[in-house]
Each structure stands twice: as C-alpha cells, then as structure tokens.
Amino acid sequence: GGAAAAAVELARTRALLEELRLWRPEEVPWCAGAYRLCAQSAAAGPDGQCDTALNRILLAAQRAGLISRQESASMLPVVALGIEPHHRVLELCAAPGSK
C-alpha cells in the first residue's frame, strides 16, 4: 500500500544521500524533498567538468527515476504559487529544460 511505497522511497532517498555524502547534500530549506550539493570544489574534476564519480551517481539516479536535476531558482515558482499535487499547471515557457 501507500505506507510500504513511502518506506521504500525513503530508503532509496537515504541510500542516494549516503552515496552522495562526499558532495555534502543539504536539504533546500524552502522546498520539501529538494536537495543541493554544497561541496562545489569536489563537484568538478581536474578538467572543470562534473566529477566522473558524481556524474555516474547522478545519471544512474536520474535514469532510475529517483531524481530530476534542477536549479534551485527553477523551484521558486512552485513554492511561490503554492502549487499542490492536485493542481493542474499549464507551463507556457517555450525554452527547453525544466522550469
């Protein structure tokens, strides 16, 4: 049921956060369920690109449907408008990417 699914989701989130511990994940205080990685120096490899290990973890989590990567600023409209799961939202921005 719902409680079992929630317990599985919580366990998967905790496992992912543990896997990301080197990059210091912290909750976004104003957006429930959102996290940001705070160890910026460790997030980039020597070539300035995303660290290979971090990229592998994030890609696997994204493919498994555990995460959706998004800038913190893109979360603001949802919070500001008070959008809830039962609301219907028509997004009219034409640019690609998440909003």
Side-chain angles (χ1 to χ4, degrees), residues 51-64:
D51 178 79
T52 304
L54 175 59
N55 193 47
R56 179 186 49 78
I57 293 167
L58 293 177
L59 281 175
Q62 191 169 348
R63 288 180 181 142

Side-chain angles (χ1 to χ4, degrees), residues 2-67:
V8 169
E9 182 73 19
L10 180 59
R12 291 174 77 182
T13 299
R14 287 182 176 160
L16 178 58
L17 291 172
E18 176 60 27
E19 197 172 6
L20 290 168
R21 72 185 176 285
L22 175 66
W23 297 280
R24 296 184 18 242
E26 293 181 6
E27 283 189 77
V28 176
W30 44 265
C31 191
Y35 293 84
R36 66 177 127 213
L37 301 179
C38 295
Q40 293 179 358
S41 61
D47 59 358
Q49 299 297 313
C50 183
D51 178 79
T52 304
L54 175 59
N55 193 47
R56 179 186 49 78
I57 293 167
L58 293 177
L59 281 175
Q62 191 169 348
R63 288 180 181 142
L66 297 175
I67 64 169

Side-chain angles (χ1 to χ4, degrees), residues 49-88:
Q49 299 297 313
C50 183
D51 178 79
T52 304
L54 175 59
N55 193 47
R56 179 186 49 78
I57 293 167
L58 293 177
L59 281 175
Q62 191 169 348
R63 288 180 181 142
L66 297 175
I67 64 169
S68 175
R69 293 191 250 183
Q70 188 175 47
E71 290 288 331
S72 297
S74 295
M75 299 174 200
L76 287 171
V78 174
V79 174
L81 294 171
I83 297 171
E84 297 181 18
H86 66 277
H87 290 150
R88 292 185 180 179

